[in-house]
Amino acid sequence: MISSKETPVHGRISLQILAQATGAARESEQLLHSGHGIVVMWWAFSLLCSVVALVFALWFYRWMLRQDEGDADMVRIAGYVRSAAMVYLRQQYKVIACFFVVTSLALSVVAFGFRALSGWVPFALLSGGFFSALAGWFGMATATMASSRTAQAVKESLNSGLQVALRSGAVMGLSVVGLGLINISVWFAVLHWGAGMGLPELSVTLLCFGMGASGQALFARVGGGIFTKGADVGADLVGKVEAGIPEDDPRNPATIADNVGDNVGDVAGMGADLYESYSGSIVACAALGVAAFSGIPQMQAMSVVLPMALAGCGILLSVIGVFSVRIAGGQSQKHLMQALSRGISLSSAGVMVVAALLVWLMLVQPSLDVQTTLQERLLPAGDSLFGVFAAGRNSPASAGAGGNCGNSARWPGVRRPPAGKHGL
């Protein structure tokens, strides 16, 4: 039983603990505001890179339209495929729109009726599905316009055909990354700075944006795949077996349908699928970063902006890679693969270097700065806020201390349990 003489002592201890907690919270807020300018800078950089991607996608599309479309037969066959693909895709998007309306209404009931979700979740779902569909539409429209132009360019040289095919494909690629990054960047600004939403809740809301993109990709891939397989079987059975028309002969209607299915499934569906994967990877990394740095607002903000900044750098390096692909020597398949490998290797090497620099600038170095001011207030004595990052700075090993790799003193934050307590 605590005597009356001990009560003031415990009261003073409680006040000291409360003062330390308040000071730690104030220090944390100061660190967040001190890094606010850096977060805004990288966010603006990501938004600018997404705009650059859309600008280059438009430029490549207009460049492709200026190329020779081919002779009359090529124009006619390409026109059949293009018009049929557009008809199918419009009908498919009508069905998908019904799905999104029903799903968003159900989420609205959960969000506004039961208060179990954020009110922004239904809108994030719709925006994810809309931009995913838009990316697939841009890719298919470009592919159906570029098919005859690529065939005509190959008649001139292998490099000409490669340029038309590669830059036409880059339209869908840049549309996917541009639309995905600009959507995430805008949502981050609206939710965090506009609505004042905290980073943990923001990361959960953005995951619903990825769910909308996943729903669109599912319908596009499955619907287009069923269409193209059905048309392929029809081209084989009816055209080749019954009518005796070769499978790839333009007189076979199923051949046109097969090419339509390839565009709506492998181009539009793939575009929606890539959009979902690209956006989902950015949002998932942000959510993991927010959870990993719980209680450290500055590091949470950095972990949200880092994948966006890395995606922006990847866009710039991808554009450089597209321009670097060119067949300089002969006209063989070997020379073509060497040209493609050159562009991929250049962009990949650049991404690895940039990723290492960004991780150091946005995670490692800020974590060391934050650790020196918050570690003693937020963590018990002996623990480390960022053990791996801080090991080289604070461990005895960095000062020349010896010991084996199992020594817990070399790894701050990793404690060896007392002998006998856990059976080890």
Side-chain angles (χ1 to χ4, degrees), residues 232-287:
D232 194 13
V233 172
D236 289 338
L237 294 180
V238 179
K240 292 171 62 177
V241 178
E242 297 184 5
I245 304 175
E247 181 180 358
D248 295 329
D249 196 308
R251 296 174 299 168
N252 188 349
T255 298
I256 304 298
D258 190 15
N259 282 273
V260 171
D262 289 338
N263 279 279
V264 298
D266 298 337
V267 179
M270 179 62 74
D273 196 8
L274 290 175
Y275 181 91
E276 180 270 332
S277 300
Y278 179 81
S279 303
S281 62
I282 296 176
V283 173
C285 289

Side-chain angles (χ1 to χ4, degrees), residues 264-314:
V264 298
D266 298 337
V267 179
M270 179 62 74
D273 196 8
L274 290 175
Y275 181 91
E276 180 270 332
S277 300
Y278 179 81
S279 303
S281 62
I282 296 176
V283 173
C285 289
L288 289 174
V290 170
F293 296 108
S294 178
I296 315 297
Q298 182 188 8
M299 295 306 303
Q300 286 182 322
M302 288 293 187
S303 63
V304 171
V305 179
L306 173 60
M308 297 164 55
L310 183 57
C313 293

